[in-house]
Each structure stands twice: as C-alpha cells, then as structure tokens.
Amino acid sequence: MLIVMEAHATAEQIDQVCRAVAELGYTAHAMPGPTRTAIGITGNNGPIGDADRIERLPGVRELISVTAPYKLVSREFREADTLVQIGSELGAAQPATLGGAAVAIIAGPCTVESREQVLAVAHAVKDAGAVMLRGGAYKPRTSPYAFQGLGFEGLRLLAEARDATGLPVVTEIMDAETLPMVLSCADMLQIGARNMQNYPLLKAVGRSGRPVLLKRGFAATVKDLLLAAEYIMSEGNPNVVLCERGIRTFDDSARFTLDLHAVPLIKQLSHLPIIVDPSHASGRADRVVPLARAAVAAGADGLIVEVHHAPAFAACDGEQALTPPSFAAMMAQVERIAAAIDRPLAQPANLTLASPSAW
Ligand code: PEP
Ligand code: MN
C-alpha cells in the first residue's frame, strides 16, 4: 500500500500519517518526491484493515495498492529515478552519483594484490575517466584453494588509493562479522552474486545505511534480485544500486550469459539505478568492450569493469581484465554511445581534497 500525500501536505501531517500507520502495527516509509511525499506501508500481508482511517487524515490525497511483491523498490512506490550518492561519508574527494542522466563508470582490479598494483590501476582508471574504484579485499572464490584476497590489508590499500586519487571505493562484503571493518574503508558495499540471497547479510548492510551495490545472483530471476533489494531497503537503507553481471544458462561459451533485457525491464519495474558488469559476464577481455558498449546502449546507468596494469600476472580474473589503454579506448567508445541516447558520462565532482581518512 502506498499513501500519496497532497503536494502542500505539511511535515506535521506526514508525521501524523506515519504515526497512524505505526498504530495499526505496520511500518511507514516516508519518501519525499519532487512534488509530493509518498508513504509506503510494509508489514501487511494483504489489504490494510483500517485503510479508511488513514484516507481521512488531513493532507492525504489517495491510497494506492501496490501489486508487486516488492514494495519499496518498485516504480509504483516511487516514480522518479533514485540517485545514489557515494563517497562523502568517508571523505572521498570526488563523490560519485549513480542514477540520473549521467552514465557512471566504476573500474579497478578484481582483487587488491599489492600497494603498487592498486595505486597503478587506480590512477590509470581515474585518468581515463572512471568515477569510482573497485577492488576486492575479501574474495568469494569457487575453489577454497584459490587466492582469497588480502583481507584487512586490502582494505587499508583501498583507503590509500582513495586518498591518492579522490575516487570513492566499492569493495565486497562477504559476512556480517567483517561489516564494521569494511565500513571503515568502503564508500560502497558490494554484495556479490554468490551472496545475493544471504538474507542476514542483506539486512545487516541495510541497517548500515552505506550505499550498496547488489549484484544479481547467477541463478536469480529479476524478481529475486528486486526482492533482495527490498530486504536492504526495508531496513531503512534507500541507497541501493542493482547490477546485472550475467546468469548461468545452457550455453557455456561465455563465463555467464549477460541478460541485457534485465536493464530496460528493471528500469520499468524499479526506480533504483541499474549498472552492468561486462567483465564477469564474458570472462574474456576481448569480449568485454562490445558488451560494455551494448550495456550503455540498453540504458544502463553505469558499468563496473575489471582493469589490471599487468593482466598476465593478476592473482585473480586476469583473462577478463582490460589493460589501462584498452580501458581508455572503451571509455571513448561508450561516451559516444551514451551521447547517442542523450546521456553524458559522469564526471568527477572535483571537490577540494578532504582530509585523508584515518588510516
Ligand atoms: C566481483 O565483482 O569481484 C565478483 C566476484 O563478482 P560476482 O559476485 O558478480 O561474481
Ligand atoms: Mn573478478
């Protein structure tokens, strides 16, 4: 159920409606929009018994029942696109925005391997126009014998790369126990494909309030993805960005099958930004750039791309890493494709350098 307030409704009236919802035993989520506030109700398993009482309160325009199983993430709940701001909390010098008109490019190594590597790649992707740095410190690997990431030291190196470049950092969180540590470094928390349905973890990042990059599980439907996002939002965190990164199909000629249809579909179903990861989808550097181009053409709000200064020596996912020159070439191409659909590439915000983080 969604309560739409009048455009001139006062803060006191909005408050009164939220209190009435709470008295009925449900949770109210006030969502200010460009012209009016909408208040979402969750916690009900069917029609609200006492809906009339709410409808009669001052400032209420109408009650709309939401048919989708996900509520807070749905377009029915919020018509305008959500913009997610990343990077101001920990003092990144150039906060980034995902969603909205500009297409934002996130890039960096699969895994943080060394100080030299992460700084080289961070500077290279920044010079080519990326607005955020990616890099794993805790890696979910299919084999327990594969490199698992540098852990805490990886986080420290990512914070150093943020201070050196100004780029906000997104890194994966694998379990709720490491959340406090990851929160001390990450401007954005990545939930990987393997954890998309780890509900306790979704709730924990929801409670943290930090922006979340939620990757689609490789056996997850679009509905599963949106319901996973609902877990995060229902804990009070509106800063969720979705990511299509390929799903498993009968075809094993690529690492995964990139489901680009999900991009326009999610745009219709949800107000949340949706970005695409062409690197894990294809698994091969020579096919990453065409997929990146197609994703931007399909309407993605951004890309997350793996880049390594020496892919042959990468500890993880070297076969799919772009080199800095091929990444720069990709940027020039996607900029032209974005322009064809009237979208600019996101530019760094260029704030004056904040004090370095406490590392
Ligand atoms: C990653 O982005 O580093 C990663 C492991 O991706 P995914 O969870 O999509 O496999
Ligand atoms: Mn990877």
Side-chain angles (χ1 to χ4, degrees):
M1 175 82 78
L2 182 68
I3 305 163
V4 181
M5 302 298 290
E6 297 286 2
H8 54 74
T10 63
E12 170 50 33
Q13 288 171 338
I14 293 167
D15 227 45
Q16 189 184 11
V17 172
C18 291
R19 283 199 306 273
V21 170
E23 276 161 26
L24 293 174
Y26 309 123
T27 310
H29 307 259
M31 292 180 283
T35 50
R36 59 182 84 244
T37 292
I39 300 167
I41 301 180
T42 58
N44 55 312
N45 289 321
I48 303 278
D50 247 344
D52 291 3
R53 201 181 122 196
I54 293 176
E55 203 159 13
R56 285 195 303 270
L57 289 174
V60 173
R61 182 192 164 100
E62 61 176 330
L63 266 53
I64 299 175
S65 82
V66 176
T67 45
Y70 36 84
K71 311 283 175 203
L72 304 172
V73 309
S74 76
R75 272 278 177 214
E76 288 167 285
F77 250 35
R78 185 181 150 91
E79 215 183 314
D81 288 343
T82 284
L83 269 59
V84 177
Q85 310 276 352
I86 301 126
S88 4
E89 223 165 315
L90 296 178
Q94 299 176 334
T97 301
L98 285 171
V103 177
I105 313 295
I106 306 169
C110 175
T111 307
V112 178
E113 297 164 15
S114 67
R115 180 170 188 274
E116 179 220 4
Q117 173 244 17
V118 72
L119 286 175
V121 177
H123 282 292
V125 300
K126 187 197 166 153
D127 291 349
V131 291
M132 277 181 73
L133 175 67
R134 62 147 291 143
Y138 297 92
K139 294 301 298 177
R141 302 304 301 278
T142 302
S143 163
Y145 307 116
F147 177 54
Q148 308 282 312
L150 293 181
F152 183 72
E153 173 63 6
L155 293 178
R156 202 191 60 71
L157 292 172
L158 283 168
E160 191 177 335
R162 171 184 48 233
D163 290 345
T165 59
L167 296 180
V169 160
V170 56
T171 194
E172 181 158 354
I173 163 108
M174 296 225 297
D175 49 56
E177 293 84 74
T178 42
L179 183 59
M181 220 147 70
V182 179
L183 279 174
S184 70
C185 149
D187 299 288
M188 185 177 214
L189 305 169
Q190 177 172 320
I191 301 283
R194 292 157 187 81
N195 266 318
M196 190 207 80
Q197 286 179 309
N198 180 339
Y199 300 119
L201 185 59
L202 296 176
K203 288 186 185 176
V205 300
R207 284 190 295 271
S208 81
R210 192 67 51 83
V212 177
L213 178 61
L214 178 64
K215 299 189 89 175
R216 180 180 180 180
F218 33 77
T221 62
V222 165
K223 185 169 146 192
D224 295 336
L225 173 64
L226 293 173
L227 281 167
E230 185 81 11
Y231 266 91
I232 300 171
M233 285 196 72
S234 65
E235 294 291 333
N237 188 346
N239 304 307
V240 182
V241 175
L242 306 170
C243 180
E244 164 59 39
R245 45 77 72 211
I247 50 175
R248 197 153 267 168
T249 65
F250 56 82
D251 188 354
D252 60 3
S253 60
R255 190 173 178 188
F256 294 95
T257 301
L258 186 61
D259 177 15
L260 280 184
H261 175 260
V263 173
L265 175 61
I266 286 171
K267 285 267 149 221
Q268 285 167 0
L269 298 176
S270 176
H271 52 85
L272 295 176
I274 163 90
I275 69 168
V276 168
D277 173 347
S279 305
H280 289 88
S282 93
R284 282 286 306 257
D286 56 356
R287 293 192 288 259
V288 166
V289 177
L291 291 186
R293 292 194 300 251
V296 171
D301 296 306
L303 300 171
I304 179 165
V305 181
E306 288 189 346
V307 177
H308 199 287
H309 66 314
F313 300 98
C316 177
D317 283 352
E319 331 71 63
Q320 68 193 35
L322 298 184
T323 58
S326 50
F327 176 68
M330 181 207 89
M331 290 295 282
Q333 293 180 354
V334 297
E335 182 166 25
R336 294 207 295 280
I337 287 175
I341 52 169
D342 301 323
R343 300 182 77 172
L345 282 196
Q347 301 297 323
N350 259 331
L351 298 190
T352 38
L353 203 67
S355 51
S357 44
W359 290 82

